[in-house]
Amino acid sequence: MSTGDLVNIQPSELKFPFELKKQSSCSMQLTNKTDKFVAFKVKTTNPKKYCVRPNTGIILPRTSCAVTVTMQAQKEAPPDFQCKDKFLLLSVVAPDGATAKDIGPDMFTKEDGKAVEEFKLRVVYIPANPPSPVPEGSEEGSSPRAFSQENGNHHNSSFDDVSKSLEVPKEKSSEAWSMISKLTEEKTSAMQQNQKLRQELEFVRKEISKSRVGGFSTVFVLLIGLLGILVGYLVKTT
């Protein structure tokens, strides 16, 4: 963090995650340490490469202001990832009640004993995807015995994991077979009951048919008898 009589700046350098053909941004926070209005302005040695928002402004007493710096997409990386670009932050006491519209080009000129603070900030590039740390024990110089012991422990743990993974499917397989056996038994029992019901239904149908045939024969005989009696009566009367 850089500090002066008027403003604190955090961080003291601009770190951009660098990746080819992609924009990158970072931000800094400006804090007014005084009970007065403070105007600021941000300059850079490479204005075509960077976009600063806001590049000028007023910081109210005892408050903070965030400034975002965006680096345009780069087609190639600098040698050794070193960047020579610089930023300059100017700050000066402003009249009470001043706004960003009141900031003019002559506000930051050092005239008539005007105190203008200047802070220089350098640009640092950091890899966008840093390499993963190397695990301990993999560096050169580790003893073959330690390596073989670790390798053996790895194989043992792998064997245990495989054994456990085989035991779990075995238990699941036995549960599945018992379930299949139970379902098969229930299916067989249901089929037997269905067949039994069909037999009983057929028997009932036969009984109904017999009763219908028997009833028809009895009625027929009665009709014949009545007809005979009627004929006999007619014969007698004639």
Side-chain angles (χ1 to χ4, degrees):
M1 179 177 66
S2 298
T3 182
D5 294 334
L6 301 178
V7 176
N8 284 341
I9 306 172
Q10 188 177 8
S12 58
E13 57 185 15
L14 300 178
K15 296 182 179 181
F16 291 91
F18 188 88
E19 190 171 359
L20 290 176
K21 299 180 180 180
K22 286 189 177 182
Q23 286 188 350
S24 180
S25 299
C26 69
S27 62
M28 56 182 172
Q29 187 174 23
L30 312 179
T31 302
N32 185 352
K33 300 169 54 178
T34 72
D35 295 325
K36 301 178 181 180
F37 285 66
V38 173
F40 72 90
K41 184 176 183 179
V42 182
K43 295 183 177 182
T44 177
T45 57
N46 198 342
K48 293 183 179 180
K49 185 177 179 180
Y50 301 95
C51 177
V52 183
R53 290 291 182 272
N55 61 341
T56 60
I58 298 291
I59 311 175
L60 301 181
R62 305 295 177 180
T63 61
S64 299
C65 175
V67 176
T68 301
V69 183
T70 302
M71 181 179 66
Q72 304 300 324
Q74 301 299 301
K75 296 181 180 180
E76 58 183 13
D80 300 329
F81 249 52
Q82 298 297 321
C83 182
K84 297 181 180 180
D85 298 333
K86 298 289 190 297
F87 280 80
L88 178 66
L89 176 71
L90 305 174
S91 60
V92 65
V93 175
D96 291 344
T99 64
K101 295 180 180 181
D102 300 324
I103 299 176
D106 57 341
M107 183 172 285
F108 300 95
T109 57
K110 296 180 180 180
E111 296 178 353
D112 300 331
K114 186 188 299 183
V116 180
E117 288 187 348
E118 297 183 353
F119 293 97
K120 293 181 180 180
L121 297 92
R122 70 189 188 98
V123 175
V124 178
Y125 292 158
I126 58 176
N129 298 313
S132 58
V134 179
E136 296 182 7
S138 61
E139 299 86 0
E140 295 182 0
S142 59
S143 63
R145 181 177 180 182
F147 175 79
S148 61
Q149 184 176 1
E150 292 175 0
N151 195 19
N153 293 336
H154 175 71
H155 284 300
N156 290 335
S157 62
S158 300
F159 179 77
D160 293 337
D161 294 338
V162 172
S163 299
K164 291 179 181 179
S165 64
L166 290 175
E167 290 176 2
V168 172
K170 185 177 180 181
E171 294 176 359
K172 292 183 178 179
S173 178
S174 62
E175 293 177 0
W177 277 112
S178 62
M179 181 65 69
I180 291 172
S181 178
K182 184 177 180 181
L183 291 174
T184 304
E185 292 177 359
E186 291 178 356
K187 180 180 178 181
T188 303
S189 177
M191 291 177 65
Q192 291 176 354
Q193 291 181 1
N194 190 18
Q195 186 176 3
K196 186 177 180 180
L197 289 173
R198 287 183 178 180
Q199 292 175 355
E200 292 177 357
L201 181 60
E202 187 66 24
F203 176 77
V204 171
R205 286 178 179 176
K206 289 180 179 180
E207 290 296 325
I208 293 173
S209 298
K210 288 179 181 181
S211 64
R212 286 180 178 178
V213 173
F216 176 76
S217 300
T218 305
V219 171
F220 184 75
V221 171
L222 290 174
L223 288 174
I224 295 297
L226 291 174
L227 184 59
I229 295 171
L230 181 59
V231 171
Y233 176 79
L234 293 174
V235 171
K236 286 181 180 182
T237 55
T238 57

